[in-house]
Amino acid sequence: FQHSVKKPGYYQLRVALRDEGSQQIGSANQFIEVPDVGKALTLSSLILEKETTAAKPTGGEGDEGQVPEQDPKGNPALRIFKQGDSLHYVYQILNASIDSARHADLEVHTRLFRDGKQVYEGKPTPLETASQRDPKRLVAAGTMKLSAQMPPGDYVLQVIVIDKLSGDKRGTATQSTDFEVEQ
């Protein structure tokens, strides 16, 4: 669902749900920051999940429409992954500068940290934006393969986006999120 917020600031979001079948009730809450995006380049929060491949029917009876079993820990809320998993991340880019053809020129850098030390830095990659409708609200995504030898523990994924059409320091935006790797 979408809920409009009139002004930037810190908020507490509370949600309660009731399952119609079992009549069970559950709730959750989260503190969130609504940034003042103004006109500066801004990144939304990073959403992480374990990348899965779609199930392929084997031709047997009853195979049609099978969906792969989801790992409950590799979801956006828990962010717990196993060594060797492929980590998929998605985020939104707001207020990118555009040229006369309404195209943005953005470069993405990814970094991975463990215990405050950088353990990985990806190559700067241009972001393809031509196929997106609204150049001021771009959606970006990436995938990172976690090494099978990656030590278990807490990690931080950082994404840096540089707006190459912007002529000042407001043309760089950074966002990060934590996750856990287990054996």
Side-chain angles (χ1 to χ4, degrees):
F1 65 90
Q2 293 185 7
H3 181 72
S4 297
V5 177
K6 296 187 189 294
K7 63 181 187 174
Y10 293 93
Y11 295 87
Q12 182 181 29
L13 178 65
R14 297 177 184 178
V15 177
L17 299 169
R18 181 174 55 109
D19 180 56
E20 289 289 329
S22 68
Q23 299 299 313
Q24 290 184 332
I25 297 174
S27 66
N29 68 74
Q30 177 80 35
F31 288 98
I32 59 171
E33 177 189 4
V34 176
D36 184 4
V37 294
K39 295 185 181 185
L41 184 70
T42 304
L43 302 184
S44 72
S45 297
L46 303 175
I47 298 174
L48 305 179
E49 65 182 348
K50 180 180 174 183
E51 184 177 61
T52 58
T53 56
K56 296 184 176 115
T58 58
E61 198 171 315
D63 284 345
E64 185 175 331
Q66 284 190 353
V67 177
E69 187 175 319
Q70 295 290 324
D71 182 352
K73 291 183 178 179
N75 69 46
L78 295 179
R79 299 184 311 274
I80 300 172
F81 304 94
K82 293 185 183 334
Q83 297 164 318
D85 281 350
S86 288
L87 180 99
H88 183 72
Y89 56 95
V90 64
Y91 55 99
Q92 191 172 29
I93 303 167
L94 304 170
N95 301 321
S97 301
I98 54 174
D99 60 18
S100 59
R102 294 191 44 84
H103 293 112
D105 187 7
L106 302 171
E107 186 174 81
V108 178
H109 301 251
T110 55
R111 296 179 180 156
L112 189 61
F113 295 87
R114 181 169 192 262
D115 296 330
K117 295 180 182 153
Q118 185 173 311
V119 295
Y120 170 81
E121 182 168 6
K123 295 178 184 175
T125 307
L127 182 66
E128 176 55 48
T129 63
S131 63
Q132 297 197 39
R133 287 189 214 167
D134 185 354
K136 292 293 186 179
R137 293 175 175 240
L138 300 166
V139 176
T143 302
M144 177 180 288
K145 175 80 171 170
L146 303 176
S147 168
Q149 289 77 37
M150 184 176 245
D154 296 324
Y155 289 81
V156 173
L157 172 65
Q158 180 185 56
V159 174
I160 303 166
V161 175
I162 299 172
D163 185 343
K164 297 176 94 178
L165 296 176
S166 175
D168 59 19
K169 66 180 179 179
R170 291 183 298 160
T172 300
T174 303
Q175 188 60 268
S176 59
T177 192
D178 63 326
F179 65 96
E180 182 181 341
V181 173
E182 63 182 17
Q183 288 183 332

